[in-house]
């Protein structure tokens, strides 16, 4: 069975695993106060060009989003997101469970449009009954988005400016951030993101780690954020689990090396799919590729290839997602090509 | 430096680590739907003698406690705990953050007394203004307790009977459950616990795992508990991380083997401490030992031995905790003895 | 100044006020356990043809909606509403503050369409990732809606059937329920509503009371709902305040008499507005009327008539709301007509 | 039947009722933006000697406490209270329902002791694991307390100083504040309270109003507190209900006149009870009096006098509460005396 269903179906990248192994016997303090976490945080601060940033390691994306937003938002505030934003769709209401509304605006291929955002804000602040409504306290974006698209540096600059103007925090969900950093379409680097966002996370789970996301507050964290993390059940006793992995990911550029490898595989994948006549549902410059396919062909295909069903645009067609990860190899693409040739 | 500060300062037990390594390359579905989680859950059900149990893997103790209790309690209910119970003291208000009061009763060496509990319940249900108060929906106990003590089978039977009588869930925090299972003072096994509790967790983090706790609902989980876990940010994409570890822990009795090794080391530790004239603050039959020591001796001791300061009973003395874990070896105890000899 | 801005700008209807006055000196138990509340509840049960209904009095609409929904929904559930539903727009995120998502669907003139609802539910339950999403636990409708429109009996039957099929509670916000009951367009009475809804409230504040809404659970309330009401801060010590008012409102058909008077005034108002050439933005059969007007005429009009600005469809026009209440008299309509004649 | 069961069993004081009646027909804006609320707030600011104070009217005590504290506390903070404090006992977990722990300290006759508070704070901030615990963000006191006792000006000064030192808000629950202001034992006035507290409320319900409490933030309210009030379901559409009542209560010193009348009646009551040989369970200088009585005498007494059972100190005795309110008259005390003479 070939596996393109998602980018979290394999364990950790060998270098990450090696770091876990090599430090396994070390006696270290608990709750993230250990040497490995310290080193990893310092490397991340350096990679972000942001010496005063505060970094916290959490387990996964939903947890990171909801813990961060609960600390960033005041009780009467909600967070703005594109209708397709992960927090509003596939996080089981985690943000609302913490007491905050997700205010959804129509997006374009997963992205929140600056003009749409500004128009909504002008409408909100021009509305005489706004005091009876949820105030916008943050803007949530994902980079890359749930559809694989990415925000340009210009778009991030504009979003950041709007957020400053309206006293909102720009929050970036970077579950797959690596792929957005090395994408041929990308022009925003980590330093730009750290400069433009109030908070963002560098996703580990989908970029070579077993688990873990690095939440970065470039200008400093909300007060007593450690306690918030503990209160929300997000503080493992053996914090080294995150420290060792992120130390590895930020040693010798491993995070970007993994990302580049995955994007190389994605380019090969796109070439194969194009050559085999498939049409792309969305023009995605990152590691998730969305293909339109007839249902009967899909049925045959999924006998030997694991994919994720995304949408059913009509009765006869499906949109499926192909995703590469660190373990995808050229021979996997070749094997896929051979299968497609026979389809 | 000798390390007796706690039981979460080393990584995973070698057999657990091996399981992570050997399965690292497998392509597996996400979110705990994988083969490894399935096998591990089945082994746990068997160890509990409870084929209809539902098992969920979560990251750590605070998370497990608060997610489980939020699903078990109705909005108008709280949870009863001893004053020293972890949920009421060192979980940063996680249960309250989920909307529920922790109703504390005086305990005895960390344990909730049946007579105290029953008296409180009779007072509550006899109080005419009870409808203005928080209803007790669950009883939280830890086994072993925060002071290392354990509930006997008879005590658990009584607590369980009271809970049935008053329609409350008996919930057991088993962060260090292994040590309570193999303690020379123990007479309650996993099957008893599964029979007597509405929910409990088998702690991994402090018994040989890198992370992870196995939450068991012997009579079935609250409806859609998977979604609750997701909503509370407790569902990692690579659920295999827990599956592989708990599969290993429940293969060839590893969980109990680790526990027995730690208790062997604890017995040696107790002998050494007794021989060196120390007095025990509490008579703990599990892996946490609490010693009364003069402050100046403690200062010298901590130059070469890592310990945890527990309490300061008076200006000249301290209570410190010694804890053994899977990595504690006979030579560590011998080295400690040598240091104590010189103290 | 003529007042058509809303239906909550005058105090209580004289018969309601009289009831408050006449019972003011009575010594009565607190917290709604008094004789007046008992009588009022019994009269409401009778008016609903529902002897087993449980009735609770709360202060206002936002409170009633959020307290009721917090008790009706499980932690992993949200409530479906039309995009224009009050709970999703003008209640400052009260439902989300209680931990639940408001799932919005496109509405039509304020109403939730059965076909739209069914399609969404089929999509949800057909979605393989539904366990990562918020489950629909209730459907919120307002009768009349925020745009004055009303659901027909047939529509309510259909919504109720869908709710039963999908195990959801049909919840009706009846802030202005009286006007929907007596509207010439209405064919659903209180008994129908009690038969078809899992919970609904009979609005007092906007139908002649000083404050207060009567929340009805036709098949019985959620367990310990009294305690939930207390916990949510919705239980006044002098519950008689609600008892006396609702006793009056349900004596000699006052609730419907007020409603009919207001609808009579509304019919006059519509005739005057039509005669003066105004166009109606929505065809509303209840006491809120939405009129399209040029901005400059509006400016002159509001010098002598209090109205509520609703929307600005373009740069030159406004939509304004006229609302009648119990205190609106024929001479108010005549005075308005005279002003419009001069406009 | 003589009524001494509580101070919320009669309706509104005649002057309060008159204000409701006289303004009933006025056309006023909704949601507390009306002229009456404006006047009442201004009078309260003046009575507090605090021109920059912000005042909000809410329905009842539990609501006021939980809404205020939810806005004052950060997510990781709890509120300190005496064990007998109303928020920790008889508010059904309202504060916890909003996500915050009530940290209880042993009190003395309902009062929080400065020394106990300081010792706890020193312990908390000296505890190395405090980051795993709930931070104290506010101190809750009730004036008078649930046992009728009152804090002296000196005690309030000390509590306020501790709060400033530890960056906590001093919050006063003034459900019966009037009686503490005019008590012969009192030396702290409204201006002192406004100077020393971060927030407090002037209770209306139990001091002559039908409903309503005036929440005062002497140094300004938390940002967008209006929206928080709305979100928590505490904003009635006809805010005039509160405006009219508090305008009356703060006109010609009515609030203090009512309080003095009630305290006069209480003095007579105490003399009668003393003369009849009853012993007081607590030395209460306000309108709640706690009497120790044999159960069989109590049974006879309650045939003609309504009282509240408070505690059962042993099998043969009860503690009962007598409370006077604005409607208690000298003839009620005389009638009681006659009944006691026959007991």
């Amino acid at each position: 069975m070939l596996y393109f269903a998602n980018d979290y179906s394999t364990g950790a990248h060998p270098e990450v695993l090696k770091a876990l192994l090599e430090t396994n016997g070390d006696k270290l303090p608990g709750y993230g106060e250990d040497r490995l976490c310290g080193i990893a945080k310092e490397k991340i601060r350096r990679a972000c060009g942001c010496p005063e940033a505060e970094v916290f390691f959490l387990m996964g994306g939903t947890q990171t989003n909801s813990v961060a937003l609960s600390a960033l938002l005041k009780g009467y505030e909600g967070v703005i997101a594109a209708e397709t934003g992960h927090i509003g769709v596939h996080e089981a209401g985690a943000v609302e469970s913490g007491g905050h509304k997700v205010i959804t605006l129509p997006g374009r291929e997963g992205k929140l449009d600056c003009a749409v955002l500004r128009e909504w804000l002008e409408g909100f602040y021009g509305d005489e009954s706004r005091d009876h409504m949820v105030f916008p306290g943050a803007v949530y974006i994902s980079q890359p988005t749930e559809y694989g698209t990415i925000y340009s540096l210009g778009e991030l600059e504009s979003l950041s400016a709007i957020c400053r103007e309206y006293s909102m925090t720009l929050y970036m969900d970077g579950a797959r951030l690596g792929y957005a950093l090395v994408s041929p379409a990308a022009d925003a680097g980590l330093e730009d993101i750290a400069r433009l966002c109030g908070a963002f996370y560098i996703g580990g789970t989908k970029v070579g780690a077993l688990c873990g996301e690095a939440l970065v507050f470039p200008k400093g964290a909300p007060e007593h954020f450690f306690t918030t993390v503990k209160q929300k059940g997000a503080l493992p006793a053996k914090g080294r689990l995150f420290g060792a992995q992120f130390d590895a990911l930020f040693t010798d550029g491993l995070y970007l090396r993994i990302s580049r490898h995955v994007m190389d595989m994605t380019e090969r994948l796109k070439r194969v799919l194009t050559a085999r006549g498939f049409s792309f549902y969305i023009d995605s410059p990152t590691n998730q590729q969305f293909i339109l396919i007839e249902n009967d062909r899909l049925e045959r295909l999924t006998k030997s290839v694991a994919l994720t069903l995304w949408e059913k645009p009509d009765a006869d067609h499906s949109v499926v997602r192909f995703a590469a990860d660190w373990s995808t190899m050229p021979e996997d693409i070749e094997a896929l090509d051979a299968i497609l040739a026979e389809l």
Side-chain angles (χ1 to χ4, degrees), chain A residues 190-212:
Chain A
L190 260 186
E191 301 202 8
D192 298 308
I193 289 166
R195 177 170 53 83
L196 298 171
C197 292
F200 66 99
Y201 79 85
I202 302 172
T205 306
K206 289 162 186 169
V207 192
L210 253 180
C211 64

Side-chain angles (χ1 to χ4, degrees), chain A residues 117-118 121-123 125 136-137 161-169:
Chain A
L117 174 61
R118 181 174 287 284
L121 287 163
E122 287 171 358
Y125 282 102
I162 294 175
C163 285
R164 275 195 307 278
E165 184 180 341
Y166 285 95
S167 296
M168 303 183 295
T169 301

Side-chain angles (χ1 to χ4, degrees), chain A residues 110-125:
Chain A
K111 290 165 64 179
L112 193 63
D113 189 87
C114 286
V116 169
L117 174 61
R118 181 174 287 284
E119 191 189 343
W120 185 89
L121 287 163
E122 287 171 358
F124 178 85
Y125 282 102

Side-chain angles (χ1 to χ4, degrees), chain A residues 66 79 87-89 91-104:
Chain A
S66 62
V79 54
I87 53 166
V89 183
E91 302 195 352
V95 170
E96 291 90 352
S97 171
H100 302 283
K101 190 185 187 73
V102 179
I103 301 162
T104 50

Side-chain angles (χ1 to χ4, degrees), chain A residues 150-183:
Chain A
I150 57 179
Y151 291 89
S152 69
L153 180 53
E155 288 170 328
L156 293 176
E157 298 268 13
S158 298
L159 287 168
S160 182
I162 294 175
C163 285
R164 275 195 307 278
E165 184 180 341
Y166 285 95
S167 296
M168 303 183 295
T169 301
L170 181 58
Y171 176 83
M172 180 184 282
D173 178 336
R176 298 177 170 94
L177 188 58
Y179 311 127
L181 294 174
V182 306
S183 162

Side-chain angles (χ1 to χ4, degrees), chain A residues 16-335:
Chain A
V16 172
L17 203 60
K18 188 158 161 268
L20 281 173
L21 276 176
E22 288 180 352
T23 60
N24 188 63
D26 297 359
K27 303 281 188 183
L28 298 172
Y31 300 108
E33 310 280 6
D34 61 277
R35 182 178 49 80
L36 297 174
C37 284
I39 293 171
K41 289 177 180 186
E42 184 53 30
K43 288 180 178 172
I44 287 170
R45 276 191 288 266
R46 234 176 284 149
C48 295
C50 202
E52 74 276 25
E54 286 186 74
V55 182
F56 292 81
F57 298 118
L58 289 95
M59 181 68 168
T62 297
Q63 182 179 83
T64 307
N65 291 335
S66 62
V67 175
L69 288 169
S70 84
L72 291 167
L73 296 173
K74 295 190 181 107
Y76 55 85
E77 291 177 340
V79 54
I80 295 173
E83 272 174 357
T84 49
H86 205 256
I87 53 166
V89 183
H90 285 121
E91 302 195 352
V95 170
E96 291 90 352
S97 171
H100 302 283
K101 190 185 187 73
V102 179
I103 301 162
T104 50
L105 300 185
R108 197 157 38 181
E109 300 195 333
K111 290 165 64 179
L112 193 63
D113 189 87
C114 286
V116 169
L117 174 61
R118 181 174 287 284
E119 191 189 343
W120 185 89
L121 287 163
E122 287 171 358
F124 178 85
Y125 282 102
D127 189 333
E128 288 182 7
S129 59
R130 65 181 173 275
D131 286 342
H132 293 242
M133 296 162 76
V134 175
F135 277 77
V139 169
Y140 166 96
I141 55 174
S142 33
Q143 174 85 326
T145 69
E146 296 71 18
Y147 285 90
T149 52
I150 57 179
Y151 291 89
S152 69
L153 180 53
E155 288 170 328
L156 293 176
E157 298 268 13
S158 298
L159 287 168
S160 182
I162 294 175
C163 285
R164 275 195 307 278
E165 184 180 341
Y166 285 95
S167 296
M168 303 183 295
T169 301
L170 181 58
Y171 176 83
M172 180 184 282
D173 178 336
R176 298 177 170 94
L177 188 58
Y179 311 127
L181 294 174
V182 306
S183 162
D187 59 355
L190 260 186
E191 301 202 8
D192 298 308
I193 289 166
R195 177 170 53 83
L196 298 171
C197 292
F200 66 99
Y201 79 85
I202 302 172
T205 306
K206 289 162 186 169
V207 192
L210 253 180
C211 64
E213 325 293 324
L215 175 60
V216 183
F217 295 101
K219 291 118 200 156
E223 217 180 343
H224 288 304
F225 189 69
F226 178 95
T227 300
T228 299
V229 170
K230 174 73 186 171
Q231 184 191 70
K232 300 301 181 186
L235 189 74
K238 297 185 180 174
R240 64 194 298 149
L241 169 62
F242 300 144
Q245 292 185 87
F246 274 92
D247 181 12
L249 286 171
F250 281 81
T251 296
D252 301 332
L254 178 60
Y255 192 73
L256 295 184
R257 278 189 284 130
I258 290 174
S259 302
R260 277 190 210 105
H261 165 78
V262 173
M263 285 313 299
D264 282 352
M265 294 303 108
T266 303
E267 290 306 314
R268 288 178 193 229
L269 175 69
K270 287 170 88 163
R271 282 197 296 270
V272 160
L273 289 167
T274 305
R276 294 293 167 194
F278 285 95
S279 71
F280 291 82
Y281 187 62
I282 279 176
D283 180 20
S284 158
T286 57
N287 77 318
Q288 300 183 88
Q289 295 297 323
F290 302 88
I291 293 298
L292 192 72
I293 186 169
E294 298 81 6
N295 290 345
D296 52 348
R297 291 183 82 195
L298 177 59
E299 198 176 301
R300 289 198 301 277
L301 182 59
T302 53
K303 281 181 184 144
S304 46
V305 183
L307 296 170
T308 295
L309 177 63
W310 207 250
E311 283 179 26
K312 296 195 175 186
D314 62 49
D316 299 324
H317 294 81
S318 297
V319 173
V320 292
R321 181 182 70 178
F322 285 78
D325 78 356
W326 68 264
S327 70
T328 307
M329 291 296 142
E331 47 270 31
D332 297 319
I333 311 291
E334 284 158 27

